[in-house]
Amino acid sequence: GLHLLQEVDTYPYFIKELVYSSNEAIPFTHQQFSFEFTKFIDESLNENETVLEIYKNGTTLGVCSKKGRETANEDLAEIVWKSIYDRMLPHRCEILRYSSLCPRITPVTIISLLLDPKSFLCDFNEDKLNDNIKKDIVALILIWIEDSKEARCRRFKEAGEAKKNELKREEENQGHRGWQPQNYPIEWLIFELEQNINIRPIQIEVAEHMIHPKTNSNSLLQLNMGEGKTAVITPLLALVLADGKQLCRITVLKSLYRMNLDALESKLGSLLNRRVYTLPCRRDMVIGGPQAEIMLDVCKECMNKRGVVITVPEYRLSFKLKAYEKCRLGLEFVREAKELLDCQKWLDKNVRDVLDESDEILQVKYQLIYTIGSPLPVSGGAWRWHCCQSVLRIIKNFAGDMVKKHGSDSIEFDSVSATSINNRESFTHFRILNPEICYPSLRSEIARYIIESKCRILKVPELLPDEKTALERFLTSPTLSSSEYDQAIAILTRSAQSSSDSSTLYKDIFLTLRGILSYDILALALSKRWRVNYGVHPALYRLMAVPFRAKDVAAERTEFGHPDVAIIFTQLTYYYKGLDDEQLDQCFYLLDKMRDSCEEFSHWISILPDSRLHDSIKSYTGINLDDYVQKTEYLYPVLCKNINVIDFWLNHFVFPKESKIFEGKLTTSAWDLCPKQSSVNYKQPLVTGFSGTNGSVPLLPLSIEQNDLPKLNKTNEEVKKVLLLPQNNNYSHLAIGDTAITIIEKIVNSKSSPTVILDVGALMLELSNEQTAELWLSRLKDKHKFKGAVYFDVNDRLLVRDRDGRVTELESSSFKDRMEQCIFFLDDVHTRGTDLKIPYGARACVTLGYGLTKDKLVQACMRMRMLGSGGHTLEFWSSHEVHNQILMMKDDKSEVTVEDVIHWAENNTKELIQEGMMHWSKQGLDYSLRQTTFNTFIANSNNPNLSQFGEDITDLEIRSLDALYGGARTLQPYIDIICDYRKIQSSRVDKINGNGEIHFWKEQVDKIVKRCDEHVAGKTRFAQILDEEQERELEQEQEQERETIRPGARIPAKHSLDARLIDLIRCGARNLNELNRWLNPLPLALQHTSLWNKVKNQSWGSNHIFVTNDFIQTINDRDLHDSFLRPINWILAFQIQSQLVCIILSPFEANKLIIECQLSNHVALCMFAARLRADQSQLLTNKKLMVSAKQWNLKQFENYGKLNADMMVIAGSLYFEDEDEQEMYCGVVGYIPEPRCEEEKLAVENKWTTMNGYLKNEWRRSVVGDKRAMLCGFNNDPRDVVYGIVERRNYITLHSHIDSIFVRR
């Protein structure tokens, strides 16, 4: 019908003229009926009567009331339809009707007229679409809705027991009782008709409450699961809120995004003809000024056409951060920044937001962060991960003893597997179940092992007993006084001096170990569950471990906020997972290029018993990766979980690249999803949301509040009552070591035979969703009763798999109408918000895992919509760990009941709220400062300073080891920690101009402190937050397939030999001024390259190094010589006034002068090679390779070190021979690398250096002294120059000494 309506526009104009010019009279046979019927509808229809009931009372236009209900309803519908049909016919020209040239009149086209009264269908009738016809159409819709309800009731009744609950619900819902359709949008009636439902009064009441909150502020509402929040209420809200005056935006969870998008499109896109828009935004998407303009146009189009935007929290916050990021980029991005900010302001002003599953969307740990600046290595460098590896190796040695000491109830560890000869080289799964009991002793054992010099990374000199005690307390005590800290540092300093090691190095190592042990990083890592709380992203976007939302569901584009937490989680992930073939290939590729490859391979296999080593792989010389049998059967199987190999791979391919910090960060959180109106000069639309649970109300942002309907205040009690019903009081617990396969076996052999698994406890760790569904279906004995398994795949698609292995989407499968033949598996992340028509009589197995809160438990259980009515039942299966926790909470030793399970989940919720208050308060303070900054910027929009705004809204991120783990540490009250953080922020607030906005910040801070005082008064904790999971979006390196085009043939420059060189060799040189007249200073070697602009204004380069014209000129071309930069191979060295002087020659010149040099006592012709490997010589001082009539010792010259460093820069050398050479090189380039002395650390703290370590010119003398300051001639950071030379010489800097100084990743 809609298609026909749209095609009316294509009819020739003369046909319309023919219709309107016809002289036929218009029959009015139905006008009287229409008038009487509409009058009757207006007068008779009220909130207590339906159209059908009025008809049954015998008052409808004389229609006989003695007919049966069905026949009467059909007669009434037929009469009304005929009346409407006749009046909409083109009466002026009958020929158009019979020739089918006029649009068809069908229920679809007629109903569409209510939404589009300007349709051309009306042009074929002079009456147009008057009010009488509209009322008749509305009445007809009401009749059809009643008719549809009768049909549903008949169908449910015929289905018998299986549809008993649906029949009861239909009978209870009288339809349009408690709400009058004429007082609500006509779209709601059409929605009822098209979806074949009756909107329930509670759904109307909830929708009204969300459209017009009584508090007139941002608010959330609780509605029980299964009451139609997503299927009914969300579309109703969209139909009203998308009114052409504001943009309706619906925010959903990412895991439910695809399902919600499909649902909205199907419900709004047919008769209602509403378009659903999506506006994705990620950091890797190019969104500048033009794209922002297009997005704004799309949003305006959506608003004008009354469309709906569906999005996820990440997209919303990412767009906001895009605007902030552009503000920081300088003048060239001003236009783009303004376009993005204008778009953001328009959205803030015109968007009406609805949050579905609001409690999960506004969860307290959620943040989205854009990192700013170049990636820098973590403080302490490689020692950070070497310390983690050493600690885990110590645990491997002590694990068995710890289990014997504390028992399997406190530690999860397979002792039999760990001692097996087949697993000796691997790290057996080890998890602490009760940290309070067993972690202190484990921590002490590790500390003593290190102090007794048994640790391979650090050999501590012999210490006195009291010194050992002081260091052990330094490493293990959660609290430490200032005097105790100073005493430990003094001991470390003396130990370093006695062992000729750097005191800074000793301090960094012990600070790292202190953080791992006493700051409970190790306890945190060993208590979390691999593949549930952390793991590697399946798509390998990053090789480091990232937070997981649920089992095998990695949080997209995330990382752990604390570097040591990320490092140790990464270690554990690969220890448990092992390396794949590609990663092992990388290890052997690098091993082949190493000088000590045989020794390294011997170290790999040293922990393997001889019985597991094939003779061909006992030495590196026997390895042949082209031998498929050796590689796949003998070599890789014994190396894939070898901890030595894993450490080697991580140390070379993962940590150096990905373990990094950044200069700053732009942050958003859940608080930004529901902004609070402050003193900006426009009113922001409200934000409303709903969810089935409300257990985290104290952790909601201050800008939104829980505002439930009075009649729904007992929702939690009603749900709990349902769960406590006798038919649901079924509890079992699993044994230690039970895997996903054994759980499936137990379910299959269970007498209750559950047909639904709600894995909210994430116990199916060993199998994916597809594997679980396939295994379960294959093990079921009744192959005729159950023919399909329903599950979600990794892309959140709802699929069904049949016994033949065919996989299709459930919506398009024949199983959609045969759900009784299916079993259902819902993983952790999909036990919330998923709406499945699970058949009557189904029984669900609900798994219970570590840390499960009441909200998550209830959400999972309520996937069974017929709980409480006898249609669905539950049974609870807990892990051994959870079972012990429940038993510890019980006062008696009676059997565990469902009430005990709920009590355990409620206790987890309380702990989550108390622990979450620190995150909540910090996020609130950050948001308040951020919003204050933004609103002040908006208020000063007449004279905006984008760059300043970008700087003001950026948070610094770099934290040294001293800042993380140094100094005293004591427990502090929550309130004191928050107040301290407020003082830090106040200095930034004072810089903001705008008293109104500062008042907003102070008001928010006072409310945050007050709420903390209400919920965590008297609670103490340490100020450091170690386990924060940050949605930290990183710039992804774009992989491009590129073809390298080498330079084409060029005309080489004609060689020439300056005769003055021969004179110099024969007679020597008297002074430098004489050389300056005909030789070139060192920087001119880059004169014909693109680097010249970066060095021409620098005073870099020793005045004792020269280059010849023949060396500089390589081709006869005015183009840049970047691809023809000549390598340095020959140097002419000689002496002037006890100073060494060097001239860089071309190979042509060296060849011509070699005989002259052999006879000369004044000069030496030396070879030179850029050091590209750590074990390589530069050849310059090799006396055997010098060409001269006498022996030369170049190192005896005072200025040799300076000249050598300058030549290393111009030659592109990557490695140093010793620390003296490195120190001189750093002096020449102006860098102060780690480890640093106290003066250098002070310079970094005072920001006298760049983030990379380049010491600014004005502070150089005061920090490093006059002598070293004079070494550097670079006025600006020379990193780009150094790397430019290296790149033009096609050298690779990764993991080199140079790379560690300049930190370019």
Side-chain angles (χ1 to χ4, degrees), residues 410-428:
S410 297
I411 296 177
E412 185 178 279
F413 180 72
D414 188 351
S415 301
V416 176
S417 175
T419 56
S420 170
I421 193 172
N422 294 325
N423 293 316
R424 194 170 297 173
E425 80 282 3
S426 62
F427 187 91
T428 306

Side-chain angles (χ1 to χ4, degrees), residues 334-345:
V334 167
R335 180 180 174 276
E336 293 185 7
K338 286 183 177 179
E339 292 284 356
L340 287 167
L341 286 173
D342 288 344
C343 186
Q344 183 63 53
K345 285 188 285 186

Side-chain angles (χ1 to χ4, degrees), residues 432-446:
I432 298 176
L433 306 181
N434 199 334
E436 293 80 7
I437 295 176
C438 60
Y439 181 67
S441 62
L442 176 63
R443 180 172 56 197
S444 298
E445 291 287 348
I446 294 172

Side-chain angles (χ1 to χ4, degrees), residues 62 141 152 336 408 416 437 464 600 698 702 813 815 879 927 1057 1198 1227 1235 1261 1304:
I141 292 174
R152 291 196 302 274
E336 293 185 7
S408 58
V416 176
I437 295 176
L464 298 175
E600 183 64 36
L702 288 176
S813 168
F815 285 103
S879 65
Y927 166 77
L1057 179 64
E1198 182 182 357
R1261 292 180 180 275
R1304 177 164 173 169

Side-chain angles (χ1 to χ4, degrees), residues 1057-1068 1078 1132 1149 1152-1154 1156-1157 1160 1162-1163:
L1057 179 64
D1058 196 317
R1060 285 170 288 192
L1061 278 172
I1062 299 176
D1063 293 339
L1064 186 148
I1065 295 173
R1066 292 174 178 175
C1067 306
W1078 58 280
L1132 192 66
E1149 293 170 318
K1152 291 291 184 180
L1153 299 173
I1154 189 168
E1156 293 286 345
C1157 292
S1160 175
H1162 302 289
V1163 300

